[in-house]
């Protein structure tokens, strides 16, 4: 593996400079930061379009589909800066770019490719992912949403959970088209325009009190066959093979670097017993320990991008590397998110707006966001199973 990223330093500096042109301190505000959802979404749409114009939104897509043809390592460099600076609509915050586009490139009809890929690359449309259901999370193939063929249409009925469908234009959906087939073999991928009759989106309050999540209720939603992606009943396999856009965990690594730097600053300025926290050797040791873990996570993540560039996707080594980096990057970010509140005690759990909130409630938001880190995109337990089974060839339980 090539450990020298210096060739990307000018590009990194260009992205950093652009971030400073957007916000004086060079950082985009967190998801809501006291703003309404509409304001946060408006900024995301504006930023997406600007990234699209600069060729950064889909830099890692092949040139023939409107991308920049970047290597996966260059994409990982961009994702690291984007997550560190909090640029909205990048990395995990854009399933259109990371999942839908790459799937359509392989399995989409020519008409779908012409209709959707350029609009995603220009940052014109926002997608959500309607995969999980109340009874299908880790065991996603157990999904129960039904799509029944009716002439040139499918009628779709079911419930999807943990998606972000309030302000989107399209939902990328998995539904069961053959209930009699073995569970992995009767699933199909669909493109669902958000405002189709029969689609109801209900907010779910998260632990932080935010309506970031939604429940999607589908009642006999009529979708034309032209919105089936790829082959009917092959959706499970398509979903599995199209996830190789950029599999490193730079989104967690970049965000974790910002968390670590903020905690170090906090340790210098926040006082306990008349002394800065940094005077306490235990605090210094914990920050040092997490810095070591973060550096490990960073290089494990770059290794994944490197293996992708080497064409190693699908090998046991790649499965092991991808899951290792997911476990380590997410768990490191989670440990950092929790340390903030541990350092300052109960004041850390005061929300933005409280006169006593530390860092205007930033620690509180980080703390409540921590549990989701090791659930999203496949839980840590599932990643460990993959490392043992696919990575080392150990038997399934
Ligand atoms: C931040 C975040 C973003 C998300 N975004 C989306 C999204 O955009 N679209 C979408 O469709 N979904 C999304 N999800 C849902 C996510 O994919 C699921 O939460 C995840 O797959 C786990 O499913 P579950 O919550 O049903 O838990 P379950 O699968 O019920 O798991 C419960 C617990 O059991 C453990 N477990 C389950 N099976 C095994 C096993 N075989 N071996 C060992 N342990 C096991 C799990 O690790 C977990 O600890 C998101 C979730 C989060 C937290």
């Amino acid at each position: 593996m090539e450990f020298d990223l210096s060739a990307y330093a000018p590009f990194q500096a260009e992205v950093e400079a652009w971030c400073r042109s957007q916000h004086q301190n060079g950082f985009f505000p967190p998801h809501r930061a006291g703003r309404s959802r509409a304001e946060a979404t408006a900024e995301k749409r504006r930023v997406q379009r600007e990234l699209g114009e600069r060729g950064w939104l889909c830099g890692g897509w092949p040139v023939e589909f409107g991308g920049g043809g970047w290597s996966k390592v260059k994409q990982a460099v961009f994702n690291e800066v984007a997550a560190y600076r909090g640029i909205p609509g990048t990395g995990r915050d854009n399933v259109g770019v990371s999942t839908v586009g790459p799937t359509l490139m392989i399995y989409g009809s020519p008409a779908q490719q012409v209709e959707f890929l350029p609009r995603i690359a220009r940052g014109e449309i926002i997608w959500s992912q309607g995969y999980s259901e109340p009874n299908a999370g880790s065991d996603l193939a157990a999904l129960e949403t039904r799509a029944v063929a009716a002439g040139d249409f499918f009628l779709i009925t079911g419930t999807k959970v943990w998606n972000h469908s309030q302000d989107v234009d399209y939902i990328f959906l998995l539904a069961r088209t053959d209930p009699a087939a073995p569970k992995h073999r009767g699933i199909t991928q669909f493109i669902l325009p958000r405002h189709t009759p029969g689609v109801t989106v209900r907010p779910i309050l998260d632990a932080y009190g935010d309506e970031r999540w939604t429940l999607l209720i589908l009642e006999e939603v009529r979708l034309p066959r032209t919105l089936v992606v790829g082959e009917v009943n092959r959706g499970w396999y398509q979903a599995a093979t199209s996830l190789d856009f950029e599999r490193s965990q730079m989104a967690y690594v970049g965000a974790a670097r910002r968390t670590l730097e903020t905690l170090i600053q906090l340790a210098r300025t926040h006082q306990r017993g008349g002394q800065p926290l940094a005077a306490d050797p235990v605090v210094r040791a914990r920050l040092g320990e997490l810095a070591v873990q973060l550096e490990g996570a960073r290089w494990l993540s770059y290794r994944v991008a490197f293996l992708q560039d080497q064409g190693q996707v699908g090998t046991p080594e790649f499965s092991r590397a991808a899951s290792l980096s997911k476990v380590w990057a997410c768990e490191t970010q989670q440990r950092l998110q929790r340390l903030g509140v541990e350092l300052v005690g109960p004041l850390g759990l005061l929300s933005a707006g409280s006169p006593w909130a530390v860092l205007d409630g930033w620690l509180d938001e980080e703390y409540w966001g921590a549990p989701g880190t090791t659930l999203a995109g496949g839980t840590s337990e599932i990643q460990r199973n993959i490392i043992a089974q696919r990575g080392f060839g150990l038997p399934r339980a």
Side-chain angles (χ1 to χ4, degrees):
M1 175 174 156
E2 179 62 71
F3 280 94
D4 182 9
L5 295 176
S6 58
Y8 299 104
F11 172 62
Q12 220 169 335
E14 192 186 346
V15 180
E16 301 261 352
W18 176 77
C19 290
R20 280 190 291 277
S21 77
Q22 299 290 305
H23 291 278
Q24 214 175 9
N25 65 359
F27 290 100
F28 286 78
H31 174 59
R32 293 281 288 275
R35 303 177 291 183
S36 69
R37 211 182 63 228
E39 286 168 323
T41 306
E43 170 160 63
K44 179 170 164 173
R45 284 190 185 269
R46 178 189 66 75
V47 168
Q48 255 198 211
R49 279 177 183 266
E50 204 165 324
L51 293 176
E53 277 167 28
R54 292 181 160 267
W56 290 350
L57 189 64
C58 295
W61 282 14
V63 176
E64 65 265 34
F65 292 114
W70 295 350
S71 68
K72 302 292 188 222
V73 170
K74 182 169 179 181
Q75 180 68 61
V77 167
F78 176 79
N79 286 355
E80 185 183 5
V81 180
Y84 175 72
R85 297 275 163 195
I87 305 177
T90 56
R92 286 174 295 125
D93 193 26
N94 196 326
V95 289
V97 175
S98 63
T99 306
V100 182
T103 308
L104 294 182
M105 287 172 209
I106 305 171
Y107 301 106
S109 65
Q112 288 169 350
Q113 292 179 347
V114 168
E115 180 175 354
F116 295 108
L117 294 178
R119 289 162 72 205
I120 297 174
R122 289 196 297 265
E124 288 172 6
I125 47 180
I126 298 187
W127 296 71
S128 68
Q129 188 175 52
Y131 282 12
S132 303
E133 298 185 3
N135 294 318
S138 301
D139 186 13
L140 185 58
L143 61 87
E144 294 164 353
T145 291
R146 293 277 303 274
V148 179
D152 286 343
F153 290 84
F154 277 91
L155 291 177
I156 305 187
T157 302
T159 304
K160 295 286 176 179
V161 72
W162 308 130
N163 46 81
H164 311 261
S165 303
Q166 301 98 327
D167 308 306
V168 300
D169 306 292
Y170 295 95
I171 297 153
F172 207 47
L173 195 76
L174 284 179
R176 186 164 301 286
T177 29
D178 184 355
K183 65 180 185 179
H184 294 91
R185 297 211 187 126
I187 295 173
T188 300
Q189 275 181 316
F190 294 90
I191 294 169
L192 169 61
R194 154 78 177 83
H195 294 289
T196 310
V199 175
T200 305
V201 176
R202 294 219 182 115
I204 303 174
L205 277 188
D206 66 15
Y208 187 62
D210 197 353
E211 292 178 359
R212 203 184 294 205
W213 308 94
T214 51
L215 190 69
L216 190 63
I217 299 161
L218 308 171
E219 293 166 294
E220 301 232 319
V221 175
R222 225 166 115 85
L223 265 195
R225 275 184 182 267
T226 50
L227 292 179
V228 167
V229 177
E231 265 183 71
V232 171
N233 293 332
R234 296 289 302 167
W236 175 263
Y237 302 98
Q238 294 177 193
T241 54
S242 61
L243 286 175
D244 75 336
F245 171 60
E246 197 269 293
R247 295 276 304 280
S248 79
Q249 300 298 327
M250 281 307 167
Y252 291 108
V253 169
R257 183 155 63 86
R258 184 166 170 192
T259 308
L260 177 67
E261 287 176 11
T262 308
L263 295 185
I264 291 169
Q265 192 53 25
L266 184 77
R268 289 203 174 99
T269 54
H270 194 83
Q271 303 257 329
R272 190 166 53 202
Q275 293 280 330
L277 288 172
D280 182 340
V282 175
V283 170
R284 293 198 301 269
R286 291 195 67 189
L287 288 168
E289 171 67 24
L290 284 165
V292 172
Q293 293 181 15
L294 178 55
E295 199 57 18
R298 184 164 185 258
W299 290 109
L300 281 174
S301 295
Y302 273 114
R303 179 157 176 267
V304 174
F306 173 81
L307 288 174
Q308 279 185 282
D309 281 335
Q310 302 297 308
Q312 296 282 322
V313 177
T315 63
E317 187 186 0
F318 182 78
S319 295
R320 199 164 54 223
S323 290
L324 266 168
S325 91
K326 169 81 169 63
V327 168
W328 199 241
C330 295
E331 294 188 358
T332 301
Q333 166 69 335
Q334 198 169 62
R335 284 187 281 268
L336 280 160
Q337 287 168 321
R338 289 180 176 153
L339 178 63
V341 168
E342 286 176 42
L343 287 182
V344 302
L347 290 184
L349 289 174
L350 293 175
S351 304
S354 162
W356 300 283
V358 182
L359 301 173
D360 197 24
W362 179 83
L363 288 178
D364 178 47
E365 186 168 353
E366 287 271 298
Y367 181 81
W368 290 110
T373 318
T374 47
L375 296 172
T379 68
S380 278
E381 291 76 21
I382 296 298
Q383 303 302 333
R384 287 183 166 92
N385 287 350
I386 294 171
I387 295 166
Q389 291 161 9
R390 268 190 246 154
F392 295 121
L394 295 174
R396 294 173 72 90

